Amino acid sequence: MTNAAASPMVHARAPGKINVFLKVGAVLEDGYHEVATAYQAVSLYEDVRAYPADDFSVEFSGSIDTSGLAVDGSNLAIKAARALARKAGFRGGVRLDIEKNVPIAGGMGGGSADAAATLLACDALWGTEATREDLLGIAATLGADVPFSYTGGTAIGTGRGDRLSPALAKGQFHWVLALAEFGMSTPAVYSELDRHRERHAQDIFPAQLQPTVDANVLQALRAGDPAMLAESLHNDLQAPALHLAPGLARVLELGEANGALAGILSGSGPTVAFLVQDADNALELQVALSASRLHVVRATGPVHGARIIHD
């Protein structure tokens, strides 16, 4: 059994993500959909500070409203800490202070980043000496996006999105993110996709049972070419999300009318990610969208996954 370590506090950080490509196939036996996605980790971060404690607790702060977040055992960060404690035979607890900057229920994997950073922080705090494979194994049990939040960079995700293979990406991509004042439920958006397919009699043909990432996306990432990537951005969840939240269509139109190479909903939305040519274009678009009273931030990718921060 592992006993309490002497570390007074451990600080870990993990990034949010953008799905630059997301194709959705059939529903699997576990209720998840088969997907093929290209993830890019971007420079909006969740900061987790882990302190020794006898039980498990979490508090939130940050640049966004966190008042609606669960702080009980249903919180993904608490689940992550408890899962590691069980695996390691650790008998203590942890107090988690999480500074959130990734939109909540925004399609950018903020909760997954919390969980990934928590795994890394608790491993260091408790001295459990878990391997990378151990932590990725726990991450996969917590949610489809948690393993990528741990690894970061650029990767292809298959299965539920948790089977990862690294993808080569050259240079830096510049994004302008329009953050909504509301969140969207990922299960609700997937359900709307299923209803949309039923309404339009879109059968899932055998070729779609195991969807794949378009080769043009991989080529654009390898080339570090934002214009080429803009032509290949795709998200099967965008249409159902727009059906549930029609106002997002206007946001997409505004961005593309003000110089974005392309816009896409990230994951299940409602965050709209605009790809631009360079940092100057990012600033210009941020100013233009802010003038339309949108909450806008800039980000770049790819960035590293979860890591310890030495304060």
Side-chain angles (χ1 to χ4, degrees):
M1 298 292 179
T2 305
N3 296 316
S7 302
M9 186 276 287
V10 174
H11 177 191
R13 174 178 291 164
K17 57 82 181 170
I18 294 171
N19 299 82
V20 301
F21 185 93
L22 177 59
K23 197 78 174 172
V24 180
V27 181
L28 302 171
E29 290 183 0
D30 61 5
Y32 282 85
H33 288 71
E34 183 91 8
V35 303
T37 187
Y39 292 110
Q40 184 166 102
V42 296
S43 58
L44 284 186
Y45 297 101
E46 304 283 89
D47 284 274
V48 174
R49 291 174 173 83
Y51 300 85
D54 294 328
D55 56 5
F56 294 84
S57 65
V58 62
E59 295 180 355
F60 293 99
S61 62
S63 62
I64 55 179
D65 180 11
T66 61
S67 58
L69 289 175
V71 294
D72 59 10
S74 66
N75 184 274
L76 197 58
I78 294 290
K79 289 182 177 179
R82 285 183 165 154
L84 177 60
R86 281 195 303 272
K87 182 172 181 62
F90 181 74
R91 293 179 174 176
V94 66
R95 174 170 65 85
L96 301 171
D97 287 352
I98 300 181
E99 180 184 337
K100 291 192 68 68
N101 297 290
V102 178
I104 297 167
M108 292 190 68
S112 297
D114 293 344
T118 294
L119 288 173
L120 197 60
C122 288
D123 175 58
L125 180 73
W126 297 336
T128 52
E129 298 181 349
T131 65
R132 174 185 170 89
E133 289 69 28
D134 289 337
L135 295 179
L136 282 172
I138 296 172
T141 70
L142 296 168
D145 292 339
V146 182
F148 177 72
S149 298
Y150 185 88
T151 61
T154 305
I156 303 305
T158 56
R160 300 184 306 161
D162 57 344
R163 293 204 300 265
L164 300 176
S165 55
L168 293 175
K170 178 183 177 183
Q172 189 177 62
F173 292 88
H174 294 267
W175 300 91
V176 177
L177 308 171
L179 312 183
E181 295 180 351
F182 59 92
M184 295 186 78
S185 160
T186 298
V189 176
Y190 272 99
S191 294
E192 180 61 25
L193 173 65
D194 293 336
R195 287 191 293 270
H196 175 82
R197 286 174 167 172
E198 290 169 6
R199 285 194 301 267
H200 296 276
Q202 290 184 4
D203 294 327
I204 305 299
F205 297 109
Q208 292 176 283
L209 289 176
Q210 290 188 319
T212 59
V213 173
D214 192 318
N216 291 332
V217 174
L218 302 178
Q219 183 180 351
L221 291 169
R222 281 196 302 269
D225 187 332
M228 187 188 302
L229 182 60
E231 294 177 0
S232 305
L233 295 179
H234 177 82
N235 183 359
D236 274 356
L237 296 180
Q238 183 160 307
L242 291 177
H243 191 261
L244 293 172
L248 293 175
R250 176 60 178 155
V251 178
L252 283 160
E253 291 169 3
L254 273 173
E256 293 181 356
N258 281 280
L261 295 172
I264 189 172
L265 255 66
S266 181
S268 55
T271 302
V272 179
F274 293 105
L275 181 60
V276 295
Q277 185 67 41
D278 54 32
D280 289 341
N281 293 131
L283 180 57
E284 290 170 3
L285 182 58
Q286 182 182 26
V287 170
L289 294 180
S290 296
S292 298
R293 300 185 182 279
L294 294 177
H295 181 196
V296 184
V297 297
R298 286 173 288 150
T300 58
V303 298
H304 292 291
R307 64 193 189 278
I308 299 294
I309 304 296
H310 299 286
D311 294 319

